[in-house]
Amino acid sequence: MIEELINSRVLILGCGNTFFGDDGFGPEVIQALEQDADLPQGVTAFDVGTSVSDLLFDLALAPDKPEMIILVDAVSLPEFNPGQLVWLPLTQIPQCKKADFSMHQFPSIDLLQELALQAGVDVRVLAVQAGCIPDRVQPGLTAEVLAAVPAACRMIRSAVEL
């Protein structure tokens, strides 16, 4: 994994917890991308679960960085319908999601912005509007979010083939 991380031109990181409903969207998209096995050379997809902050910290410290990082995650924004996909600007990540990218209160949203602004990495967040992220363990995506997985894969493939 470390070698792929260091040598990849594009990293696709699926974020989320598969035990909490639609929060498992990111890992589900990564699994779908891996099953198709048609990603271009130099593009690597990782299911980072709930540990994206550790990886982002390592990337910020690494001398060589990827050209592009795509984070895939679920959000809860009132203006979208369940299953709706959106390229979410870093400045529009909801406050409740910022904790997902934190490391012991370290503001990794700032890390993402630093990777983008200071290191020149093209950082993108592909988000799906969650239908249900339960308070208790309840694996499985809602029908609307599950139906968005193929479209998310197409959007990612289109972004990495630029």
Side-chain angles (χ1 to χ4, degrees), residues 6-7 11 73 75 117 134 138:
I6 293 169
N7 295 324
L11 292 176
D73 203 359
V75 296
L117 298 173
Q138 185 179 339

Side-chain angles (χ1 to χ4, degrees), residues 1-13 30 34 39-48 55 59 62 64-69:
M1 176 175 156
I2 298 297
E3 187 173 321
E4 288 177 313
L5 177 68
I6 293 169
N7 295 324
S8 292
R9 142 183 102 72
V10 177
L11 292 176
I12 306 164
L13 307 176
I30 299 303
E34 290 173 341
L39 291 175
Q41 182 89 9
V43 177
T44 306
F46 289 109
D47 172 358
V48 295
L55 183 57
L59 286 172
D64 297 318
K65 297 175 182 31
E67 294 172 19
M68 177 187 286
I69 297 172

Side-chain angles (χ1 to χ4, degrees), residues 51-137:
S51 63
V52 70
S53 58
D54 295 335
L55 183 57
L56 291 175
F57 189 70
D58 291 343
L59 286 172
L61 295 176
D64 297 318
K65 297 175 182 31
E67 294 172 19
M68 177 187 286
I69 297 172
I70 298 175
L71 298 166
V72 184
D73 203 359
V75 296
S76 293
L77 298 171
E79 63 266 28
F80 297 111
N81 296 317
Q84 187 173 347
L85 293 164
V86 60
W87 288 108
L88 195 63
L90 294 179
T91 57
Q92 292 182 9
I93 293 176
Q95 191 65 36
C96 63
K97 291 305 285 181
K98 290 182 181 184
D100 290 1
F101 304 110
S102 69
M103 186 167 80
H104 307 293
Q105 303 305 318
F106 187 77
S108 357
I109 289 298
D110 292 341
L111 250 177
L112 290 172
Q113 290 174 338
E114 183 175 325
L115 284 166
L117 298 173
Q118 303 297 326
V121 178
D122 182 0
V123 178
R124 302 181 187 193
V125 177
L126 179 59
V128 70
Q129 172 63 37
C132 178
I133 298 178
D135 294 332
R136 298 181 197 195
V137 172

